[in-house]
Amino acid sequence: MQAIVVPADLSEPIRLEQLDKHDAGAFRRIVGGRLEAVQLTEPAAGVYFNDEGKLQELPINHRLTMLLWMHNKLFRGEDVIMGSGLIVGPPDHEGDDQDAPAELVELLFNTAAYRVQARKIDGRSWHTTLDTVPWWTDAYRLALKLGLEWRNVFADVRVVPELPSELLDTWYEVGIATPPLHDAVDPAFTRDSFLGCFNLAELEERVGECWWVLGTAFYYRDACFICMEEGGDDWLVVRHGVAVGRTALWPRLKAGEFGEFVARLLAASKEQCLRMEY
């Protein structure tokens, strides 16, 4: 099982570590004592830390506390974690911890720049800050400051990866070269047509929200879905920078198979995608 280990010592980087999910001793060695656990949401995950961290006067784990506050807002501004800890995935049907959420691993370890988003109490849309931030810790600090100081305005805040401009350019070029996207006029298909979804549930909700106009485009990680039919269910799938087929998504949504389909797509190599083996 892959875990995200977050040392309390800021001079030590966070790291990914393979652990035996049944070896509680390995967990205890990381936290330095008895285990306590709390849950994260969006994405679902578990945080293990030292149950006696405060009694032992261990140092505050600023990074793990920020992760806790960001991904479970019930703790936001209310409590801190003392000592080192780790993040794992939610338990499976047998109650065993799973790998740390892929989207959180991607955000913390494989993202070059970040943006902060906030959602107003009376709205559904996320509003994005103008400036990018190069470090996840700075982005989390900024987002939490915004969420705490403006809690009467914003229902929630989050940190999202900044989309690399070269990937956006590739998606646009693939799309505009594929009929009938060059005929999209209201609105036109442009580089501004792409809307980011930053977890699988959000992508599923957006795709299934309504019948979208020609040229509507959603992306999740490095997979892109472009609507190819006005008010229809014909989607151009782009992965690894190339068009890898057109498909209907609504039947997968209704059958509860959409998440599994996206997981296969993200796991497939470029060659497998081109052969539509996903």
Side-chain angles (χ1 to χ4, degrees):
M1 177 197 69
Q2 181 173 254
I4 301 170
V5 177
V6 186
D9 186 346
L10 292 175
S11 68
E12 296 183 39
I14 65 172
R15 66 183 187 273
L16 295 173
E17 187 168 327
Q18 290 293 329
L19 299 172
D20 181 345
K21 60 186 176 183
H22 300 298
D23 185 3
F27 286 45
R28 287 194 290 268
R29 284 191 292 274
I30 290 173
V31 307
R34 291 172 48 182
L35 293 172
E36 178 65 48
V38 295
Q39 300 302 310
L40 303 185
T41 58
E42 299 182 12
V47 177
Y48 287 99
F49 55 94
N50 192 318
D51 181 43
E52 299 178 329
K54 292 184 174 69
L55 291 175
Q56 297 177 16
E57 297 184 344
L58 297 178
I60 295 176
N61 192 325
H62 294 280
R63 292 175 296 189
L64 192 54
T65 297
M66 284 197 299
L67 287 161
L68 174 63
W69 287 9
M70 180 63 67
H71 299 288
N72 188 335
K73 61 182 180 180
L74 294 178
F75 287 92
R76 200 169 289 172
E78 298 296 329
D79 203 357
V80 297
I81 293 175
M82 315 288 280
S84 298
L86 64 150
I87 299 173
V88 299
D92 60 20
H93 65 281
E94 296 181 348
D96 293 327
D97 293 322
Q98 301 181 85
D99 288 341
E103 61 201 72
L104 192 56
V105 171
E106 191 72 17
L107 185 69
L108 299 181
F109 293 93
N110 301 315
T111 300
Y114 303 85
R115 286 189 187 271
V116 171
Q117 293 187 331
R119 179 171 55 82
K120 290 185 176 180
I121 291 174
D122 57 353
R124 295 184 59 194
S125 300
W126 290 90
H127 302 273
T128 305
T129 56
L130 295 176
D131 296 329
T132 59
V133 182
W135 305 103
W136 75 264
T137 48
D138 291 340
Y140 271 64
R141 194 174 294 112
L142 175 61
L144 290 168
K145 178 180 173 64
L146 185 66
L148 288 168
E149 293 184 358
W150 293 84
R151 65 178 69 194
N152 293 330
V153 176
F154 296 118
D156 206 358
V157 292
R158 67 182 182 181
V159 172
V160 299
E162 167 70 352
L163 180 66
S165 59
E166 59 271 18
L167 187 57
L168 176 61
D169 290 341
T170 298
W171 288 343
Y172 173 73
E173 290 166 5
V174 170
I176 202 66
T178 307
L181 282 183
H182 55 267
D183 293 331
V185 293
D186 189 22
F189 179 67
T190 70
R191 286 173 174 81
D192 294 327
S193 299
F194 298 85
L195 179 65
C197 299
F198 300 103
N199 55 62
L200 190 55
E202 184 178 2
L203 175 64
E204 187 167 341
E205 179 183 359
R206 296 297 288 177
V207 169
E209 197 169 35
C210 65
W211 296 107
W212 293 101
V213 299
L214 175 67
T216 300
F218 301 112
Y219 66 86
Y220 171 56
R221 294 170 60 179
D222 67 341
C224 180
F225 305 85
I226 307 173
C227 184
M228 303 297 288
E229 180 182 2
E230 187 77 22
D233 187 30
D234 179 12
W235 297 83
L236 176 68
V237 181
V238 186
R239 175 92 209 287
H240 296 295
V242 295
V244 296
R246 289 167 68 162
T247 187
L249 298 179
W250 272 63
R252 292 185 170 93
L253 288 170
K254 292 178 179 178
E257 299 171 350
F258 182 75
E260 183 179 328
F261 165 72
V262 175
R264 292 197 307 269
L265 175 65
L266 291 173
S269 66
K270 184 175 182 178
E271 291 71 23
Q272 289 173 319
C273 285
L274 289 171
R275 294 194 301 266
M276 298 188 70
E277 296 175 355
Y278 56 86

